[in-house]
Amino acid sequence: MIKNSIVLLGAGNAHLQLVRMWAMSPLAETELCLINPEWRVPYSAMVPGAIAGIYTREQAEMDLSALCGVANVRFVSAKARRVEAQAKRLHLEGRPALSYDVLSINIGSQNTLPVGWDLPEFSLAVRPLSRLLDGIDSLEKWIENRQGFAKITVVGAGAGGVELCLALRRRFAQYPKLEILLLESLETLLPHYAPAVRQHLIAALSEHGIQTQTNASVVRCDAEQLYLSNGQSIQTDAVLWATQAAPAPLLNASHLKSDKRGFVLVHDTLQSFSDPAIFAVGDCAALESHLNLPKAGVFAVRQGPILWKNLQAYLQQKPLKKYKPQKKFLTLLNTCDGKAVLSRGQIGLRGAFAWKLKKYIDGRWMEKFQNVARLKMEPETPMRCGGCGSKIPGEVLHGALSRLEIPEHPKLRIGCREKEDASVIEHDAGFEVHSVDFFRAFVSDPFLFGRIAAQNALSDLFAMNATPIHAQAIVTLPLAKAAIQEELLYQMLSGAIASLKGAGATLSGGHTSEGAELAMGFSVIGETPDAGTLFRKNAIGANQKLILTQPLGSGALLAAVSHGACRSEWYEELIYWLLCSNQSAAAVFSEAGVKACTDITGFGLAGHLFEMLEGTGFSARLYPHEIPTYSGFVDVVGQGIVSTLHEENAKWASQVAAPLRAAALFDPQTSGGLLAAVDPDRAFDVLGALKQCGYEKASVIGE
């Protein structure tokens, strides 16, 4: 019985620790959800090294899809707009609001930026860090186009601004004419650091030819110059803002009690002054007992375990612990030259030893979140796949159907015996096309699951060239308190309606029940005025070309998610195609006069192709190197990760003359693409039309 819902907004250090602790010891009767716009988040301590080229992006970032997949934490990729505390609802962009019992906010901060000014040709804020690395890549291309003749101004000489200047100098070392200027509004650089630390960092800036200027407060700017409060103007080509931390717009929109700067005001228990069910940590929070606490990641790291204990205590109605910030803490600043500066209190040291220590500490931290597979205790019985990977084997299905005596009906034109993607019923005004699909959840986000489940069900209608009218939902909800069940149902149906609406259909009803796990499906109804325009599986002809509209490999990748082996960039591509409708592809095939078509789902490419060939007297020749697969598919299969239905599908191998990338042939697809037989003289035009409609991975895979 699920009784509590915890939502973590933002993937800051404290929340990432909490997800990791959840993986090792989840709370009973509780579900955990992490919301963040990006699938990958950089570790702030390694960002200067990534900018300098010391680390790759992959080394400096944490993969949320892998971490949450192993931890059994729901991950929602969305941007939050505001918190509605009274209703306990979080409003998100582009999707329905999400309810919670307890909310924790860890969204960091952003830089104070000029408002309403003309900006130089290239202007980039340092925070949020998730956008910074992409911005630096764009800056590099911009500088290459200028052949290195550029002046970059970094505004803000705190630790972040100094590290950024040194990182840029190393990255652009091949451009000796590139100028870097660091501006600080106060009388000295690094005003909040001890003199010894300041001395070492100023020396590093000087050694690497970085110009500095203090008492340089920017009051306005235009496309070419920064204007200072002392009356000076500075010509610049690009400006990077490493200015004072400012609160994200969400905080102001949520009307939570805040400090003078706009950060969420929290008690020592990390609870908001506005609502004890809302916690805030990291840079977005202002600790009432320490209002001048610096915005530094070392505090968020220490807040993580306290937050974890207090969330549990709050749900159990027990006393909460108080967070006490450390008075002294170690900081290691990367000078990007094989050295680092060590800072602790009044101590300041610089050397290669400090860089080695920094690499060791950062590496240990990242190991906790990058090598996530070790967090997962393998069960004695492997976890069964969801989606179309949870279908029963074709052998079982065909065996059961062959034993039935199914009565005829005068209005049933196509039914079970024809083994088509949908049944066809004749009416006075035309023909109705019916199908049903249902499976266990395979993604943790219920809104996303609803969208994909509806898209998958509609695919059977498109595979028959029918026009969707309406759908009825079949839903199994896990045992949970009424409010949580209502939220799950609302999110799933909202997602489903989005897919149905996109296809010109509507939701007309449905049925719900309780069960051991989340599952959903749809009975979909479409129409056609003429049964002769319907696609049939085995209406193939000699020498026709086989065109597949979407890549293969979803079964293995979805299995890899639970193993922590599916990288976020692979997962993003997978979700893109799972949400891709087959409606436009069906229209292209219909326009080209296609007669034979099916969609590739649970039985894989081999199983569905054999269904097309059955009883026709034809065989098929596939072009192995033309069969499109998802990014990462070969990698995860190489690790021995395949769908639980893969083995059953692979029984078709006895009828395949050569391996032909066998793993791709037998991988069960969820919401897969269409496979059509196209006349050879039209295949090229059809392929071009499909690519114009967005099916860029469509391919002629055989004949």
Side-chain angles (χ1 to χ4, degrees):
M1 174 70 75
I2 304 172
K3 295 181 180 178
N4 304 300
S5 172
I6 301 174
V7 170
L8 307 178
L9 176 59
N13 288 330
H15 281 178
L16 292 176
Q17 288 183 86
L18 200 148
V19 170
R20 188 174 182 274
M21 288 184 277
W22 178 279
M24 295 183 285
S25 182
L27 300 185
E29 301 180 330
T30 304
E31 63 175 11
L32 182 65
C33 174
L34 174 66
I35 300 176
N36 197 68
E38 294 83 19
W39 300 79
R40 299 181 68 89
V41 292
Y43 177 40
S44 57
M46 295 177 73
V47 166
I51 292 172
I54 299 169
Y55 300 115
T56 64
R57 286 283 295 266
E58 188 174 344
Q59 289 173 321
E61 290 180 332
M62 289 167 274
D63 191 317
L64 300 183
S65 62
L67 178 62
C68 292
V70 167
N72 196 27
V73 170
R74 181 188 305 165
F75 176 64
V76 174
S77 176
K79 183 177 181 180
R81 293 182 7 237
R82 65 184 177 92
V83 178
E84 190 180 356
Q86 188 172 2
K88 290 191 172 182
R89 190 174 293 128
L90 181 62
H91 292 265
L92 307 172
E93 284 189 4
R95 53 181 292 153
L98 193 69
S99 297
Y100 62 84
D101 292 314
V102 187
L103 173 69
S104 179
I105 307 174
N106 187 197
I107 57 175
S109 61
Q110 61 184 33
N111 294 108
T112 304
L113 295 179
V115 179
W117 297 352
D118 291 330
L119 294 174
E121 184 177 349
F122 197 100
S123 179
L124 177 65
V126 172
R127 291 182 179 272
L129 290 174
S130 55
R131 299 179 198 160
L132 176 61
L133 295 179
D134 288 334
I136 294 295
D137 289 341
S138 299
L139 175 63
E140 182 169 34
K141 294 176 183 176
W142 181 79
I143 288 174
E144 286 175 356
N145 291 334
R146 299 172 64 97
Q147 298 180 326
F149 288 90
K151 182 176 182 179
I152 301 174
T153 302
V154 176
V155 181
V162 170
E163 283 190 300
L164 177 59
C165 287
L166 293 165
L168 291 172
R169 173 58 75 202
R170 173 161 176 159
R171 185 176 185 124
F172 301 125
Q174 72 272 34
Y175 299 119
K177 297 295 184 180
L178 181 74
E179 295 182 46
I180 301 176
L181 171 65
L182 177 62
L183 299 182
E184 170 56 49
S185 61
L186 300 178
E187 293 182 0
T188 180
L189 303 179
L190 298 143
H192 303 296
Y193 281 84
V197 176
R198 188 159 53 243
Q199 180 180 350
H200 285 304
L201 288 170
I202 291 174
L205 292 169
S206 177
E207 289 169 18
H208 294 289
I210 296 168
Q211 304 169 46
T212 62
Q213 186 172 339
T214 57
N215 290 317
S217 177
V218 179
V219 293
R220 65 185 181 90
C221 64
D222 58 29
E224 295 180 348
Q225 296 189 89
L226 301 176
Y227 299 91
L228 308 183
S229 57
N230 60 11
Q232 284 184 290
S233 62
I234 296 174
Q235 188 170 0
T236 189
D237 299 305
V239 59
L240 278 70
W241 305 92
T243 47
Q244 186 178 14
L250 172 137
L251 301 184
N252 180 58
S254 301
H255 303 295
L256 299 174
K257 189 170 182 180
S258 62
D259 69 354
K260 293 180 179 179
R261 293 186 293 170
F263 296 103
V264 180
L265 196 62
V266 296
H267 297 283
D268 288 346
T269 58
L270 305 177
Q271 291 171 291
S272 164
F273 271 65
S274 300
D275 186 345
I278 297 177
F279 292 72
V281 289
D283 286 3
C284 70
L287 196 66
E288 189 266 345
S289 61
H290 296 78
L291 287 178
N292 295 320
L293 196 69
K295 301 296 183 184
V298 293
F299 298 112
V301 169
R302 295 285 183 92
Q303 288 172 343
I306 301 295
L307 175 66
W308 171 237
K309 291 176 181 178
N310 282 355
L311 288 174
Q312 297 177 69
Y314 178 81
L315 292 174
Q316 296 164 3
Q317 298 182 341
K318 294 181 179 180
L320 276 63
K321 293 182 176 294
K322 292 184 178 181
Y323 163 68
K324 295 181 180 179
Q326 59 270 41
K327 293 182 179 179
K328 291 184 179 181
F329 52 89
L330 177 69
T331 301
L332 293 159
L333 301 173
N334 188 0
T335 53
C336 299
D337 55 2
K339 299 177 184 179
V341 174
L342 182 153
S343 169
R344 180 173 170 81
Q346 295 301 308
I347 298 173
L349 301 170
R350 181 188 178 197
F353 78 94
W355 168 239
K356 291 178 181 178
L357 178 61
K358 178 175 175 57
K359 280 204 303 182
Y360 173 73
I361 293 173
D362 291 345
R364 282 191 61 189
W365 175 263
M366 291 298 282
E367 174 71 12
K368 295 179 180 180
F369 302 100
Q370 290 183 329
N371 188 13
V372 296
R374 67 180 184 177
L375 297 176
K376 186 175 180 63
M377 298 296 291
E378 293 294 339
E380 294 181 7
T381 303
M383 184 181 296
R384 304 294 293 180
C385 288
C388 286
S390 65
K391 286 186 175 182
I392 62 172
E395 187 179 72
V396 174
L397 176 62
H398 296 148
L401 289 176
S402 66
R403 296 167 59 189
L404 295 174
E405 294 184 9
I406 302 174
E408 299 282 352
H409 192 283
K411 291 191 175 183
L412 184 66
R413 293 283 298 271
I414 297 175
C416 292
R417 290 184 178 84
E418 287 77 17
K419 301 179 183 179
E420 287 291 349
D421 290 307
S423 59
V424 179
I425 300 170
E426 184 175 4
H427 290 292
D428 294 338
F431 300 86
E432 279 191 353
V433 183
H434 293 238
S435 185
V436 63
D437 235 304
F438 179 82
F439 42 53
R440 294 167 40 236
F442 54 91
V443 292
S444 60
D445 180 347
F447 177 76
L448 191 58
F449 178 46
R451 288 183 64 191
I452 298 170
Q455 207 67 267
N456 181 80
L458 289 169
S459 183
D460 280 342
L461 299 184
F462 302 139
M464 293 282 288
N465 199 26
T467 302
I469 305 173
H470 66 103
Q472 296 203 332
I474 314 153
V475 180
T476 300
L477 296 170
L479 298 174
K481 69 178 183 181
I484 289 178
Q485 286 187 329
E486 178 185 330
E487 183 66 19
L488 282 171
L489 184 60
Y490 169 70
Q491 293 289 331
M492 287 194 297
L493 291 180
S494 294
I497 288 171
S499 291
L500 293 170
K501 185 178 179 181
T506 189
L507 182 70
S508 60
H511 176 77
T512 58
S513 64
E514 286 187 331
E517 55 191 340
L518 194 65
M520 188 179 206
F522 293 89
S523 170
V524 289
I525 295 89
E527 65 180 353
T528 182
D530 181 4
T533 63
L534 293 174
F535 299 150
R536 303 293 297 270
K537 283 183 179 178
N538 53 17
I540 58 178
N543 301 318
Q544 286 185 321
K545 298 295 184 181
L546 294 169
I547 293 182
L548 179 65
T549 62
Q550 295 185 28
L552 304 174
S554 62
L557 286 175
L558 289 172
V561 171
S562 62
H563 290 78
C566 183
R567 290 164 50 177
S568 60
E569 58 266 34
W570 301 343
Y571 192 67
E572 278 193 270
E573 180 191 355
L574 172 64
I575 295 301
Y576 171 83
W577 286 108
L578 291 179
L579 290 172
C580 183
S581 171
N582 284 322
Q583 191 167 23
S584 295
V588 170
F589 289 143
S590 180
E591 180 69 21
V594 165
K595 300 296 182 185
C597 184
T598 189
D599 62 336
I600 308 301
T601 53
F603 301 143
L605 175 62
H608 290 285
L609 178 54
F610 278 123
E611 286 181 333
M612 295 181 76
L613 297 171
E614 185 178 358
T616 65
F618 288 108
S619 61
R621 177 183 293 111
L622 297 181
Y623 312 145
H625 300 294
E626 299 300 324
I627 298 174
T629 58
Y630 286 110
S631 301
F633 173 70
V634 173
D635 298 73
V636 300
V637 171
Q639 299 175 49
I641 300 173
V642 294
S643 169
T644 48
L645 188 57
H646 183 101
E647 184 178 352
E648 287 293 333
N649 286 348
K651 291 180 178 179
W652 289 107
S654 61
Q655 298 184 52
V656 180
L660 291 176
R661 299 175 73 184
L665 291 184
F666 308 125
D667 187 76
Q669 304 307 294
T670 298
S671 193
L674 297 183
L675 177 66
V678 181
D679 289 339
D681 59 339
R682 304 200 67 174
F684 180 80
D685 291 338
V686 168
L687 193 61
L690 287 170
K691 291 183 182 293
Q692 285 187 342
C693 289
Y695 304 96
E696 64 266 19
K697 296 218 172 185
S699 180
V700 177
I701 65 166
E703 58 186 310

